[in-house]
Amino acid sequence: MDSASPPSAIKRLGQNFLVDPNIVRKIVVLAGISPTDTVLEIGPGRGILTEALCRTAGHVAAIEIDPRLHAFLSERTAHLPNVVLVLGDALTSPVEHLPIGTIVVANLPYYISTPLLFRLLAQGNRFARLVLMLQNEVADRLIAKPGSPDYGVLSVMAQYSANISKAFKVSPQCFRPRPEVDSAVVLLHTLAPRARQPEEEQRFTALVRAAFAHRRKTLVNSLKNEGYDSKHVEAALSTLQLSPSLRAETLALEQFLELARALS
Ligand code: SAM
């Protein structure tokens, strides 16, 4: 490989590179970046988005796991004074040094989009907003409301941390190689961290997971299967004036929070 030719795509690393400059433009506009902002990009790949971000932001930090792409991009961005390329895994690379209010922009590697999303959302106000390219199906789950078949653990837990909207769909034709699924760009405005103890957070997370563990059962039965005392659950539901026959998918985020409190 000569030094100027881009490395070929590795499927296992979720390497579907954006090739449509119009989508890049729309992502950058959506992110609302000003020249004083710091942007974190996950998976800069061949750098199509990175270069556009460097033209708009004050600083760009980009974490790439593939050493071939890291080397390629180091050369491609050598003339840019405001980018730091980190060779590492975005699931574990430190982000605590980034300023509060950093904006995250990424065409995410789809094979780890959910754990990456939760890692980013767990940083509290470190990140003001996130503009993320995801599988369209994941985007639909993120924005789903109670009663929808897409509503589940991902919807509740993400909406606990952010206001989320789906900005636009992106066709497979905008990538090389083309992914097998439709994609969508979502905008997540992170919410001020709730004043809650870590144990309360853990109880809430465990409850949401247990509630959706058996989707076709009633909430009481699903929780019972996951080790909760059904009398205790029924009493808590009654205190909250909720029917014992309802299913997890009908409960709104605030009702899950109240139930976690009532069960504690
Ligand atoms: N941003 C580029 C673009 O839009 O064309 C590339 C996006 S591609 C969908 C995902 C990128 O994430 C690839 O460059 C891939 O190597 C990188 N990647 C995959 N797993 C990663 C990880 N755990 N940490 C950091 N980067 C990762």
Side-chain angles (χ1 to χ4, degrees):
M1 183 184 83
D2 77 63
S3 64
S5 63
S8 55
I10 299 178
K11 194 171 176 183
R12 135 185 94 73
L13 289 177
Q15 291 178 354
N16 298 99
F17 301 109
L18 258 177
V19 291
D20 185 333
N22 191 38
I23 300 294
V24 172
R25 231 178 344 262
K26 282 170 77 172
I27 290 174
V28 173
V29 169
L30 184 65
I33 301 163
S34 75
T36 53
D37 284 324
T38 296
V39 172
L40 169 66
E41 187 187 4
I42 310 260
R46 295 174 177 169
I48 187 170
L49 200 46
T50 322
E51 287 191 341
L53 294 171
C54 286
R55 284 196 291 273
T56 323
H59 298 279
V60 176
I63 308 174
E64 172 58 59
I65 202 168
D66 183 342
R68 304 168 315 146
L69 285 169
H70 180 265
F72 173 78
L73 198 54
S74 299
E75 223 169 272
R76 182 168 167 176
T77 58
H79 63 291
L80 297 170
N82 59 342
V83 61
V84 174
L85 300 177
V86 178
L87 176 60
D89 183 344
L91 282 173
T92 52
S93 291
V95 290
E96 293 73 18
H97 59 286
L98 293 167
I100 302 293
T102 293
I103 301 165
V104 179
V105 180
N107 170 15
L108 285 182
Y110 293 168
Y111 74 106
I112 45 165
S113 55
T114 306
L116 270 175
L117 178 61
F118 280 119
R119 176 166 196 233
L120 296 168
L121 289 177
Q123 304 301 316
N125 61 352
R126 170 93 39 220
F127 301 126
R129 55 192 175 279
L130 295 80
V131 174
L132 305 176
M133 176 89 74
L134 296 158
Q135 300 104 303
N136 186 49
E137 166 255 325
V138 174
D140 285 341
R141 282 160 54 205
L142 284 175
I143 59 168
K145 295 294 175 209
S148 144
D150 291 327
Y151 187 65
V153 178
L154 187 62
S155 330
V156 178
M157 296 314 300
Q159 291 168 28
Y160 175 69
S161 305
N163 279 328
I164 310 172
S165 55
K166 181 158 123 180
F168 53 91
K169 272 179 78 172
V170 183
S171 125
Q173 304 203 29
C174 300
F175 305 86
R176 292 291 180 280
R178 294 177 191 174
E180 282 149 22
V181 292
D182 281 337
S183 302
V185 173
V186 292
L187 172 62
L188 300 97
H189 278 280
T190 53
L191 297 168
R194 301 180 191 237
R196 294 163 62 81
Q197 300 296 321
E199 317 83 70
E200 284 180 279
E201 300 259 343
Q202 280 160 14
R203 265 201 299 273
F204 166 66
T205 308
L207 172 70
V208 174
R209 288 191 187 285
F212 284 104
H214 310 274
R215 274 190 89 99
R216 284 199 292 217
K217 293 187 192 269
T218 63
L219 178 61
V220 175
N221 283 338
S222 186
L223 292 178
K224 185 177 164 198
N225 271 36
E226 296 302 301
Y228 287 73
D229 179 304
S230 44
K231 290 274 166 288
H232 196 184
V233 174
E234 278 165 7
L237 287 173
S238 156
T239 313
L240 301 174
Q241 296 181 323
L242 293 171
S243 159
S245 64
L246 55 73
R247 290 171 202 277
E249 68 212 45
T250 62
L251 241 69
L253 165 64
E254 291 306 324
Q255 291 175 311
F256 274 113
L257 287 165
E258 284 172 8
L259 184 58
R261 224 171 285 133
L263 283 170
S264 67

